[in-house]
Structure formats: structure tokens, C-alpha cells
Amino acid sequence: MDLKTASALRRLRLVSAPEAVSFLLLLVCSVLKRTTDFNAVPVMGMLHGVLFVLYVVLWAFAWYRAKWSLGTSALYLVLSVLPAGGFVAERRLRREAENAVDAAIASRARKEGVVSA
């Protein structure tokens, strides 16, 4: 993997947790709308919608860059529609991005002759 792939994974990771938080807040706002006079659903719905669309766009770009299998890409897409799935995706993406950066650094070091392997 190269640094562009690591960047794509990092961008997806950075939007996954806020998307999960917005989803949970939208669920809370939906309950509050039906049980009280508080109605923040239009605001939270818009915020969550924007974050979800951003997640899907970044997911597609990460799928293209990382060359994920169909199963891995489907997992990250399914995690985006589960209420706390974004937190799971964030942890997995953090590990995957760190591995991608490490692989890119090692590849560059081998290419420049700093290390042999």
C-alpha cells in the first residue's frame, strides 16, 4: 500500500465516528420528538444525512484505493448503517491505516536502499 491509500483510509476513519454519533443523536431526537415537545429531528436529520453521504463517498474512494475484497467493503458499508457501527469501523480503519503507512515506509526504505529485505 502507498501513502495515498493510507490517506483514503484515514479520511474514512475520521468521518466514521462523527457519523455514528450523529446517527445515535438522531435516534435520541426521534424518541424525544414523540415523547416531548422537543423536535430537533430536522436539524439532526440533515447533519446525519450529510455525514452519511460523506461516509459513503469516502468509503467508495477507500474501496478503490485499498482494493478491498467484496466482503471487506460490504462490512464497512454495513457498519455505516448500524447505530454504533461507525465506532467499530473507526477502530478497524485505524489499524488498517497504520499498517498501510508502515508498509509504505518500509517499501520506500527498501527502494532507497536504506534497508535490505
Side-chain angles (χ1 to χ4, degrees):
M1 286 192 193
D2 59 354
L3 291 178
K4 289 183 180 181
T5 302
S7 295
L9 295 175
R10 183 174 181 268
R11 284 190 298 269
L12 181 60
R13 181 181 66 85
L14 289 176
V15 78
S16 65
E19 190 271 336
V21 169
S22 73
F23 191 9
L24 292 173
L25 287 174
L26 180 60
L27 292 175
V28 169
C29 288
S30 295
V31 170
L32 289 175
K33 176 183 176 185
R34 285 162 178 73
T35 58
T36 67
D37 291 333
F38 183 74
N39 185 11
V41 172
V43 174
M44 283 309 303
M46 176 65 81
L47 178 64
H48 173 66
V50 168
L51 287 171
F52 181 74
V53 168
L54 183 61
Y55 182 93
V56 171
V57 168
L58 293 174
W59 164 82
F61 189 67
W63 183 11
Y64 170 75
R65 292 295 310 172
K67 296 176 179 52
W68 285 331
S69 67
L70 188 59
T72 301
S73 60
L75 172 69
Y76 285 121
L77 190 60
V78 167
L79 286 174
S80 73
V81 297
L82 298 176
F87 300 118
V88 175
E90 193 273 334
R91 280 191 301 254
R92 290 178 59 105
L93 287 164
R94 182 185 315 138
R95 276 187 253 126
E96 196 169 336
E98 287 171 356
N99 292 341
V101 169
D102 291 344
I105 290 171
S107 174
R108 180 172 243 169
R110 280 193 301 273
K111 185 188 231 180
E112 294 176 0
V114 176
V115 294
S116 60

